[in-house]
Amino acid sequence: MGKFKSKSGNNKDQILEIRQDGQELGSNSRISVGRLLRLPSYFFFNKETQIRMDVLIQLLDRLLQAVGQLFANPFYYIGILFIVLHYRKQIQMERKLFHTRLHSLLNETWRTVLWGWLGGISASVLMLFVGVNIQASTIILLWVLSIILVMMRVRFFCLAYAVGILGIAQVILSWIPNVTSLQEAIPVLDIVVGADIPSLLVIVAILHLLEGTLVGFQGARMATPLFLEGRRGQIIGGQQLQGFWPVPLFLLVPMTGGSIQGLPWDTLFGSNLASGWTLLAFPAMIGFTELTISKLPRKQARFSASLLYLYGIILLVTAIAAHFWSPILLVGAVLSIALHEGLIRYNQWVEDKLVPFYVHSQRGLMVLSVVPNSPAHELGIQTGELIHKVNGHKIKTKTDLHIAMGLNSAFCRLEVLNEQGEVRFLQRAIYSGDHHQLGIILAPDQDALYFLEQRPLHLFSYLRNKLTGLLSNNSTKSM
């Protein structure tokens, strides 16, 4: 690489004397700084650096094209629409149960989309070193399967189920003799037979590792308090942790006629990129739904995240094994569905064994949630704490709370028991327009007007305006 030595002359532009291979060039090689900027890039960089720069430029060029493909893909907007309708329904339920909303439709939507992009870019960088093989037609088929599945159950709106079904179908087709004639009669079978299932399983595994990270960081914030019917018919409190993210993936895939720039790394699956490669936009959806009556939201979020990590690691190992040894393909496809359902059933089994946490006790009233930006939120009152005393009076029932707060309409002193049973002393002035009960949402008692019925919902029941599953406490008829 050339070495540059600065000189300066009288009333002249600064010039550089260029040395190459240890030899000083003549005076004709002196150039001004302005002309120096027009020198070709290889004049400044060695060959290895130049190759890296060329690869980076090609990746950025293909990335811009892939982003354009993503914004032209209707399935990406279907995912966002589902999220908007999901939060709309959640806010409707909050107003019905608590006469206020705990989440903002606009804030939750843009935050979800933003985190989806951050997660998608991170996963895409990781996938550069895997080298998956996937076609645009396969992506369309997976989305069609996902839409059909979500009409059956909302929780099926996950790539794991669609990929598992596609993998099982491919294995079954491989057992059928003379499947070629069947493919000619049903063209969609060509897509099924040609799908690279190990690549799709790797995508599912990495998406669930990403989902575990998002749940661990954001799951507690996305919790919604609920009134539920317990095993013995009593009304108890619970927390539903539910979230969905539209994740744009940009996958490095082989493509004849694509970029022929050699990449300075080898992919895990050894994809043949010599004839060309590109970045393919893949709009994916990830999401989770967990219900707990025995744990605080942050503890349930950590528990769910650990299960998602376990699922992702097991599926990733199985997918890599299936790539190098095809008989494991059916195992990976079945695990994609069965293990996912198993995690849900395991969480339900754990919940059934534990004692309900969100119930009142002789020590005070249980805080189920706190309205954002309310006086209780400013005082630092948290979910799972007990309101022990108000204005010096011990609190055992909601009637006790109303009487104690009425003793001083301008000021309120509280004694709150935290999770460790320690007493916290809080006080605050009360102003006109403050939230009812300072914005504290208490666990339900047996006088609660409504509770949520726990049963699986299909898409239309889930999204329609009528809140299916929300029951009156003195009725068995859906409201």
Side-chain angles (χ1 to χ4, degrees), residues 191-374:
I191 303 175
V192 177
V193 172
D196 189 335
I197 301 302
S199 293
L200 295 176
L201 291 174
V202 166
I203 294 173
V204 172
I206 291 179
L207 284 176
H208 278 79
L209 292 174
L210 171 63
E211 183 181 334
T213 303
L214 292 174
V215 170
F217 280 103
Q218 290 197 303
R221 188 190 59 79
M222 305 175 78
T224 298
L226 298 175
F227 294 168
L228 306 166
E229 186 177 23
R231 290 190 297 271
R232 299 179 180 177
Q234 77 276 25
I235 308 301
I236 59 175
Q239 300 284 346
Q240 186 176 53
L241 281 66
Q242 190 172 51
F244 297 91
W245 295 273
V247 178
L249 294 177
F250 304 102
L251 305 175
L252 176 67
V253 296
M255 188 185 79
T256 303
S259 175
I260 58 174
Q261 176 67 47
L263 299 177
W265 67 82
D266 294 326
T267 59
L268 176 64
F269 282 0
S271 301
N272 183 16
L273 305 176
S275 59
W277 57 267
T278 191
L279 291 179
L280 178 66
F282 184 175
M285 280 287 297
I286 59 176
F288 81 111
T289 301
E290 296 287 1
L291 180 65
T292 180
I293 61 173
S294 62
K295 295 188 287 292
L296 291 172
R298 66 176 184 275
K299 292 185 177 180
Q300 179 63 39
R302 288 197 297 265
F303 179 71
S304 299
S306 63
L307 293 180
L308 288 168
Y309 288 142
L310 179 63
Y311 174 87
I313 292 172
I314 292 175
L315 195 62
L316 181 61
V317 173
T318 307
I320 295 173
H323 174 77
F324 294 102
W325 193 43
S326 58
I328 302 181
L329 183 62
L330 181 59
V331 176
V334 172
L335 279 179
S336 180
I337 298 174
L339 192 57
H340 200 278
E341 284 292 296
L343 296 182
I344 297 173
R345 297 289 184 264
Y346 176 70
N347 181 71
Q348 294 173 349
W349 177 75
V350 170
E351 287 295 318
D352 289 339
K353 290 180 60 179
L354 299 176
V355 177
F357 176 72
Y358 298 100
V359 292
H360 303 306
S361 72
Q362 293 299 314
R363 297 187 300 163
L365 298 182
M366 171 64 67
V367 177
L368 183 61
S369 187
V370 173
V371 177
N373 302 318
S374 65

Side-chain angles (χ1 to χ4, degrees), residues 380-440:
I381 297 175
Q382 298 179 8
T383 298
E385 293 186 325
L386 291 172
I387 306 300
H388 180 57
K389 287 185 179 181
V390 175
N391 291 327
H393 290 261
K394 191 171 182 179
I395 306 299
K396 292 184 178 180
T397 66
K398 290 183 178 180
T399 301
D400 294 339
L401 176 64
H402 295 154
I403 293 174
M405 292 189 67
L407 295 176
N408 190 338
S409 60
F411 200 81
C412 186
R413 298 191 308 275
L414 298 93
E415 294 182 27
V416 177
L417 300 179
N418 62 17
E419 185 182 356
Q420 292 74 32
E422 301 170 343
V423 179
R424 296 199 301 131
F425 297 93
L426 307 172
Q427 58 184 9
R428 185 187 185 277
I430 300 177
Y431 303 100
S432 176
D434 276 349
H435 284 271
H436 175 63
Q437 295 180 170
L438 303 178
I440 300 172

